[in-house]
Structures are given as C-alpha cells and as structure tokens.
C-alpha cells in the first residue's frame, strides 16, 4: 500500500514537472532518449539558482576555495590514473539466442535470459560505463577519448596550475560545477539515475595529519547547508556512514534524502587520503607534491571531497516540496478544492514573486512594479484569469509571494502580499516591499 | 612587422592568461590535449559573470524569452534533421606513404603530402565534425549518438513543450547556454577555434511576415549589448553582412571583433526562415506548427537566431583589455616601470574590488570591510607585499577598484579608492562605499 502511494506520488511529480516546464524527456518528439532529461523554463531557473547558491556558499564566500571550469573531454590518461578505464564497469552477459544484453547483478536468475528464457548465455564480461569518443581525424584507439565520469579528476590534474595562479597554500580547496556522463545500463527513477548529469564538487587539499579534522569540518558545513539553505529536516535527510571503504579511503559518508522511491544519495563526503594525487604523480610523471616552505618538507596533499548531484538536488527539492491541501474555491457548488503546492524555500524557488494586477485595467502600473521587483528577485507577471486561478498556478510552481495590485494600490501606494503556505494576506507599502521580501527570503 | 607585433601580443595574452589563472591547457600534466582549455580561478569567475550578464540581458529582463537547459547528447535523428550528420564535414585525404591525414582546403598543393612529400594520396573524402559516442550496452550504429555541435537544435525540438508550459504565444524566444563540441581538424588561435566550447543561443519564433522586422530588432539589441555592456567600440567591432546565404536563410550577419590574429566571428544573427521547424516536422512526424487562434490559422514558426561563443567573448574581452603603460615604481634607480593592465569593464572583471590593508596590523578591520563588500561585489583581500606590488597584481587581472585601508581609516571611517585606469586616488567614506562602487560599475 505504502509502495503504491509512493509510486503514485512519483508519477504526480513527474507529470507536474513536465506540465509546468520543470523537466522534459530529452528529444521527446523523436520518441525520447533513455536517461536524458531537459530542464524547461522553471527547471532551468531553479537549476541556475541552486548552482549559484552552492557556488556562493562553497567558493565566493570562502577565501580558501578557488573555482575551476575544466573541459568534459580530458586526456585519456586522466582516466587511466583515476582507475575508471580499468574498473568503472558493470558485469554484463549476452543471450546467444535473442542477442539481448543484460546486467548480471540485475538478473533474477543469472543462468536464464530474462528476455527470451534461453539458457544459452555468454560468460559475464566487464562493461565500462565511460562514454567513449574520438578526437582528431582518425578513429582508432590512439585517438580515443572519454566524456568525464566525474568532475573531480580535472581538479586533481590542475592542482598546481590553480595553486600557483591563485597564490594559495595548503590547506585550500578547488571547486567546480559541470556535466558528467555515465553509460548507465538501466537509467531509472526520473532524473535520479541518468546518463548525463551535473555535478558540484569541491576537493579540499590538506596535510595528511589534518585530514580527519577537515573531514569533520566539511561534513558539518554540508549538513548545515541542507538544513539552513534548502530546508531539509531530519525526517527527510540522513547520514549514512560507509562501513566498507575503498582501500585508499580513510572515511566516507553519504548524505541521503527520502525520495518517494526510497532513500537515495544526494552528496558524498569522502576522505580520500593521498590516493588521487599519488596516482596522477605516478601516471603523469610530474611531481604532484606540495612544498611546505614553513616546515621545509614536501607533502603529498590529502584530499577531502564533497560531491553533490545538481539534478538530484533539484529532484530532492521537488519531492520535498510537493504537497496537496485544500483551498477556498469559487467553483460552483464547492467551498474548497484540492490545491497542489510546491513548498520550495524562497531562496531557490524558480519564481520568488508573482505580480498580479486585480484587473487588466491596472496592468500598466502593476507592470512598473514588476519591472522594479524583477531587478532584485526572480519575478513573473500574470494578468490572465481570475485571481484564484492565478494563485493556484503560482502555488503549483512554488511561488512563495503573490503580490496583488488592486484598485486601491495607486491611492495608498500599497499592495497585498499573499503567502503561499499559510495563504494569509498582508497589506504592505510599496516603499517597504523590497526589504519585506528580502527579509523573508533570507538573503 | 605588424604581424610580428600581433603574434607577440597574442603570446603575451596567452602567457598572462596562464600565469594569472584565467585559462590553462586542459590536462597539461599529461602533455595537454589539443583544442581543449580549462578556466582557472579568475577565468571561471569571468565566465560566470559574462554568462550571467547574457542570461539577464536575454532572458530574465524579457517576458518574451524563456530559458531552457537541454542535454548535450540528444536523439541522433535531431542531427539527421538538422543536416549535421550528412553535411557538417570537411574534405580530408590520406597519404598512403606516411599514413598522415590532411584537410584538403588547408593543403598548399592538394596533390602532394605536406608531411612526407609523397604524391600517393587517396581521393578526398568527407570527414564529419560531430563527435560520436555510443549510448546503451551495445556499440553499433543503432546505439550511436553524438555530442551536440550547437545548442540551438534542442531548442527547436523542445519548442512545443516550452511554449505550452510557459503559456507563450508567437512571437517569443527560447534561450540556452551550454557546451557544444566540434572535432576540428586544426584547432588554433588559443580558445578561438577549440573542440569543446560554450555557446549562448537564443532562437526567436515569429510569424513569417514579421521575420525581417525581428531580425533588425535583434541585430540592434545585440550591437547595443556589446557597446554598452562590454565596452566594444567601433574600431574593435564590425558587422559583416553575409553575401552568400544558406539556401533557406533570408538574411545573416556576423558580429566580428579584432583579435590580434585578425577579425573573427563572435556572434551570428541569422534569419533562418521556417527551415529548422519544417525539417524537425519532416523527420519527427510531429506537427511543429503553431496554432494562431486570433487569426484561426496554423503557421510554421520563422526563426531569428542570435548565437554567441562564450569562450570567444572571454577571449575578445582579454584581447580588448590588454594594455601596457608606465606607472611609478619604487624599484631602485627607476622612477617608472612598464605596467601590464587589463582594462576590463567593471561589470565583467573577475575581481571588481580588492581590499588592501596598508599594514598587516590593519588586517582585522580591513577584513571586516572586505567581508561586507564581498556580499555585493566580486572581491579579493590581499595583504602580501608592498602596496605598489599589490596594485600591480590587481592591474594585471583587471581589478577596477583597489581599496586601501590605512591607519586613518579607523578614525575617519574612510578608505582610499584607487582607480585602475587613471591610477587616481579618492578618499571615500565607508558608509558611501557601496553606492559609490555600484554607480561606477553601472549595475
């Protein structure tokens, strides 16, 4: 029963996301392409807002974190050094009968083809999840290159270039936001497991002796961010400490959130030791150590990583925000109606303010107010339909403040601010409006 | 001589870009990868600033333009419809002797191998510039996919999804910013011709009858943007009207700027007629027309495109900003010294304000001021070295305002603002500092 309800909830979210322009199937008119999703007008606004929030939080407000924006295609040796070329794979087998290919860990019976029932299967083989392409005029192994499977490797590779240019000393971090690609055999759960996605990663370089201290620091910072900026509460978010660690790792945890399809990883905080920098030193032949002039010794930097999925953050925000309640209606024969509302934090809502003239006659003055507010907040102007209908439209995309410009507004220089969650209304003077909204958004 | 000087200038720009953390060769520790460039701390800041400026200008301040953020990998039929799979190619030939491959239009004598001098060459063949990969578990032609060669095609494909979700009517536009890839045979001129780059494109959909009007409108808007926001003057920028048009196009122009290596395209403004939408209708079998309810007729939307290279914009800004002049120095035996200065418009400078305490003893109070300013402007705090050395450092990255916090500052609550271009200094009260800077940045 609970599972049914969750499936239904997920369906509602996917449907709302499409209808209201958050997320579409990529290339839909061509039948779509599995595991690829486009962000529509409201989705793109929100993606930009969350991206900027993370960047502000992790780079702009910190003197010890620098930004980077590296290419998706790197030198193939980067992926040899990272281990992706040799180990980033799933076990697959082919059916000799129907030619279908299957992921072994997802077969109920690994000796029977789930497609045709044949038992004539090949031995399992490793299938690499990196997407391969060719750079240059010849398509052979010498010209093979890969779409990055994570955004962190170019950070390690560019460590010295960034350090020298930014005049940084240990400890300091490098952050970047960008696309990554994984040829998932079975993309699923809407945008949760997709083949093209955006990561926001920060690698913090420090002395080995301070590794655990910084790991705890970044763990704390990231949890604080989810609580204070994205409004995730303890029933929606949990920490999952890894019991099994990669051989090189010193500590690792996932920050998980409660999607309708179950708990899922949103962010990883990993103490990776000196593994990454040592590997790139080994494979590039370059000295990746840091010269500690104060203590007159070279150290191989230890890495603490915080790695978030931007698409998963948007999905988490959508799932956490989705709600239905009852609202007054003017529909015939009914006093109340089911209202769909996205309870986004105002900081990341795609539309923060909707300006709604009560009548088309008031459009001109209301538009002036809108133009002014739009310089400071993500704003929308809507004059079509009854005021109730317009409120409902804004509720559905999660607009926290609807501002109604009415026939008294010109006289008393005031407007009505209607709050999405409480549906309460307040009269506010136009001269105070900006600071009134700023306070409530929490800039 | 002039050519020599320009080559030297370009070398200086490339060298400064690397040294000061604007742009690095991608994967440098592995010997680099030709045609791929990473943005370092200052480059990434600037890229974000220009991107946000364009987005604000083209989307956020316009009610008739919607944003989109689509995937890099689309359904392969998108590129069949666009013509890229069949026609986006260069002519290549192979040398049977030394096995080298050459672009025919770049050979001085198309019958002689430029590598070994042999005349045993294959016939020229078409070489497609799209980067190919495979999606799904089997690597055959049925699973081939391509990295997008331009960001506009997914805009056409998503036209109806965006239109319905955003409740738009013709005329309106859809804009997006994102990566695109071209397997250039001969990447050159620093970031100008690279294999991975970021485009900022806006497709404006209108009735055929209004096409030329909107073409002129967008031409005007885009020129105004370069003049007013990026500070490009008429000796740096020119319009190149296309004399030869694609068979479907009604009008086209390039906005070109004067790079040290010659005039180069920065942006294209194209009147593409109904070509794109008709092709996607033909290849998808979906109705791509727009129902004009007012006039009770269906129209195939006409497209006006504005398409900018973000990397080229950054390169143009760097080239336009680079300057050398003389400044006072405290070096022994010299009164003046050559100063390298990037004269960026304050709106897009990677660092807008540098806060410089005159002495380390003043660090604490100066840091407070910095923290406050950093909430509103891209700011940097620097306490290392003589004040002259710190000015020079900021000049080199184009910081328009250096704010010196000195021993009187605590008493008179004032600081000295030093202007990058004039090197003039002004005493400004801290309470007025924010509006003083805002006015001069032109927010």
């Amino acid at each position: 029963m609970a599972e049914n309800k969750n499936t239904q909830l997920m369906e509602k979210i996917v449907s709302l996301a499409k209808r209201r322009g958050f997320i579409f199937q990529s290339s839909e008119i061509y039948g779509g392409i599995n595991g690829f999703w486009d962000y529509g007008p409201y989705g793109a606004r929100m993606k930009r807002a969350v991206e900027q929030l993370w960047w502000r939080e992790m780079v702009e407000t910190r003197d010890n974190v620098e930004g980077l924006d590296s290419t998706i295609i790197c030198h193939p040796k980067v992926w040899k050094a990272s281990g992706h070329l040799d180990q980033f794979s799933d076990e697959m087998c082919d059916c000799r009968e129907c030619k279908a290919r299957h992921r072994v860990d997802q077969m109920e019976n690994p000796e029977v083809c789930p497609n045709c029932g044949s038992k004539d299967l090949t031995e399992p083989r490793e299938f690499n999840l990196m997407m391969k392409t060719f750079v240059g005029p010849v398509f052979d192994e010498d010209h093979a290159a890969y779409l990055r499977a994570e955004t962190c490797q170019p950070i390690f590779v560019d460590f010295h270039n960034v350090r020298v240019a930014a005049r940084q000393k240990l400890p300091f971090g490098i952050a970047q936001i960008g696309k990554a690609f994984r040829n998932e055999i079975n993309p699923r759960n809407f945008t949760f497991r997709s083949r093209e996605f955006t990561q926001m990663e920060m690698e913090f370089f420090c002395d080995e002796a301070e590794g655990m201290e910084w790991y705890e620091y970044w763990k704390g910072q990231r949890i604080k961010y989810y609580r204070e900026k994205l409004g995730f509460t303890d029933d929606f978010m949990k920490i999952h400490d890894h019991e099994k660690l990669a051989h090189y790792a010193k500590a690792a945890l996932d920050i998980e959130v409660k999607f309708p399809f179950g708990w899922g990883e949103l962010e990883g905080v990993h103490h990776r030791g000196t593994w990454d920098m040592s590997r790139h030193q080994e494979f590039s032949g370059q000295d990746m150590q840091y010269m500690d002039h104060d203590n007159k010794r070279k150290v191989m930097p230890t890495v603490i990583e915080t790695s978030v999925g931007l698409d998963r953050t948007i999905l988490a925000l959508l799932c956490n925000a989705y709600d239905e309640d009852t609202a007054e209606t003017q529909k015939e024969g009914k006093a109340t109606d089911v209202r769909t509302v996205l309870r986004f934090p105002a900081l990341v809502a795609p539309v923060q303010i909707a300006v709604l003239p009560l009548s088309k006659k008031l459009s001109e003055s209301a538009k002036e107010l809108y133009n002014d507010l739009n310089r400071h907040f993500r704003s929308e102007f809507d004059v079509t339909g009854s005021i109730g209908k317009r409120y409902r439209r804004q509720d559905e995309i999660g607009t926290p403040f609807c501002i109604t410009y009415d026939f008294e507004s010109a006289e008393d220089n005031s407007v009505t601010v209607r709050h999405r969650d409480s549906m309460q209304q307040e009269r506010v003077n136009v001269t105070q409006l900006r600071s009134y909204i700023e306070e409530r958004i929490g800039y």
Side-chain angles (χ1 to χ4, degrees), chain A:
Chain A
M1 283 301 283
E3 199 171 319
N4 248 343
K5 210 179 134 194
N6 286 333
T7 308
Q8 275 172 22
L9 173 60
M10 202 58 222
E11 279 166 11
K12 282 181 180 177
I13 291 169
V14 173
S15 154
L16 175 66
K18 180 183 172 183
R19 187 163 45 82
R20 297 307 312 270
F22 285 89
I23 302 169
F24 311 128
Q25 174 74 60
S26 173
S27 312
E28 201 183 72
I29 64 169
Y30 290 101
I33 173 165
N34 193 11
F36 295 88
W37 300 93
D38 293 350
Y39 289 82
Y42 294 125
R45 279 191 195 205
M46 211 171 153
K47 207 178 156 197
R48 291 185 74 82
V50 173
E51 182 186 320
Q52 182 50 35
L53 178 66
W54 186 89
W55 190 259
R56 177 117 201 102
E57 187 71 12
M58 296 296 283
V59 183
E60 290 177 353
T61 59
R62 295 174 193 271
D63 295 337
N64 62 351
V65 179
E66 300 290 337
L68 179 70
D69 184 352
S70 77
T71 51
I72 290 169
I73 293 179
C74 319
H75 195 292
K77 273 195 187 164
V78 172
W79 307 108
K80 194 74 189 165
S82 72
H84 282 80
L85 273 183
D86 295 321
Q87 284 159 11
F88 190 57
S89 51
D90 286 332
E91 281 209 319
M92 307 283 296
C93 72
D94 290 339
C95 172
R96 291 200 184 88
E97 201 78 38
C98 75
K99 311 294 175 198
R101 184 166 281 183
H102 308 288
R103 216 171 111 177
V104 175
D105 66 348
Q106 291 179 348
M107 290 165 79
E108 286 196 11
N109 180 344
E111 297 185 357
V112 177
C113 172
N115 191 38
C116 72
S118 161
K119 291 188 173 181
D120 191 5
L121 301 175
T122 63
E123 284 296 298
R125 281 177 308 190
E126 293 295 324
F127 173 80
N128 196 287
L129 297 183
M130 292 198 81
M131 288 200 198
K132 187 176 186 173
T133 188
F134 300 95
V135 171
V138 186
F139 294 171
D140 61 15
E141 283 310 304
D142 284 349
H143 293 77
Y146 302 86
L147 308 192
R148 65 182 176 204
E150 54 187 29
T151 54
C152 61
Q153 292 302 327
I155 292 180
F156 304 135
V157 169
D158 286 355
F159 169 73
H160 281 307
N161 269 342
V162 171
R163 180 186 62 75
V164 172
R167 302 166 57 243
Q168 285 282 5
K169 292 179 179 179
L170 287 199
F172 79 99
I174 305 175
Q176 83 163 328
I177 300 175
K179 287 276 177 102
F181 296 78
R182 294 183 186 177
N183 195 5
E184 295 285 352
I185 303 310
N186 183 15
R188 61 193 178 280
N189 292 331
F190 199 21
T191 58
F192 183 80
R193 193 166 300 280
S194 52
R195 286 167 165 160
E196 176 176 338
F197 51 93
T198 300
Q199 280 191 322
M200 308 191 285
E201 296 196 295
M202 193 279 306
E203 310 296 318
F204 197 78
F205 301 88
C206 63
D207 194 292
E208 200 163 11
E210 296 173 352
M212 278 313 294
E213 206 177 308
W214 282 112
Y215 173 76
E216 291 299 332
Y217 170 79
W218 285 111
K219 172 185 167 180
Q221 290 287 298
R222 297 306 300 154
I223 293 170
K224 193 164 173 267
Y225 162 90
Y226 288 113
R227 283 200 184 124
E228 293 178 8
K229 304 290 178 184
L230 303 192
F232 293 172
T233 51
D234 285 350
D235 57 332
F236 184 69
M237 172 173 71
K238 73 177 182 192
I239 303 299
H240 169 227
D241 283 301
H242 289 206
E243 282 145 37
K244 252 180 79 179
L245 293 174
H247 67 90
Y248 54 81
K250 303 277 181 277
L253 63 88
D254 293 340
I255 299 172
E256 296 185 346
V257 300
K258 202 177 182 173
F259 294 103
F261 47 80
W263 289 93
E265 181 191 347
L266 189 59
E267 169 152 358
V269 180
H270 297 162
H271 182 330
R272 304 174 57 96
T274 56
W275 167 256
D276 303 287
M277 298 302 276
S278 303
R279 289 284 287 191
H280 285 294
Q281 174 161 304
E282 182 186 340
F283 282 78
S284 71
Q286 304 288 316
D287 187 352
M288 296 304 279
Q289 295 171 98
Y290 169 78
M291 182 64 212
D292 176 358
H293 287 284
D294 293 342
N295 297 306
K296 298 194 177 61
R297 60 185 184 122
K298 278 185 163 185
V299 296
M300 185 60 78
T302 280
V303 169
I304 311 300
E305 168 179 283
T306 73
S307 168
V308 200
L310 176 49
D311 308 84
R312 289 184 179 185
T313 307
I314 301 295
L315 185 59
L317 284 164
L318 273 169
C319 294
N320 196 33
Y322 189 93
D323 200 8
E324 290 170 6
D325 63 6
T326 53
E328 284 176 31
T329 180
Q330 291 168 352
K331 284 186 194 167
E332 275 177 46
K334 290 172 94 176
T336 61
D337 205 1
V338 174
R339 173 177 84 130
T340 299
V341 54
L342 293 179
R343 303 192 193 278
F344 290 134
L347 201 53
V348 295
V351 177
Q352 297 174 307
I353 290 176
V355 177
L356 315 172
L358 201 58
S359 147
K360 282 193 182 166
K361 288 175 201 154
L362 301 163
S363 281
E364 208 174 314
S365 314
K367 195 70 187 266
E368 270 177 43
L369 178 65
Y370 158 78
N371 285 335
D372 187 42
L373 291 170
N374 191 38
R375 292 177 56 226
H376 309 289
F377 310 104
R378 289 184 294 278
S379 305
E380 190 165 279
F381 183 78
D382 187 6
V383 69
T384 326
S386 73
I387 194 74
K389 210 168 175 178
R390 281 182 273 166
Y391 283 156
R392 223 53 87 242
R393 225 180 254 150
Q394 296 298 332
D395 290 340
E396 251 194 358
I397 60 167
T399 308
F401 309 105
C402 283
I403 291 174
T404 311
Y405 191 97
D406 58 32
F407 289 99
E408 281 84 62
S409 293
E411 281 162 45
D412 65 0
N413 199 31
S414 296
V415 289
T416 303
V417 178
R418 182 260 195 186
H419 295 259
R420 176 194 65 202
D421 295 337
S422 64
M423 293 185 266
Q424 295 297 308
Q425 308 197 353
E426 263 181 287
R427 196 78 181 161
V428 179
N429 193 285
V430 169
T431 54
Q432 261 118 61
L433 201 52
R434 185 178 163 190
S435 60
Y436 177 93
I437 304 278
E438 270 178 355
E439 264 171 43
R440 279 156 185 82
I441 289 182
Y443 275 147

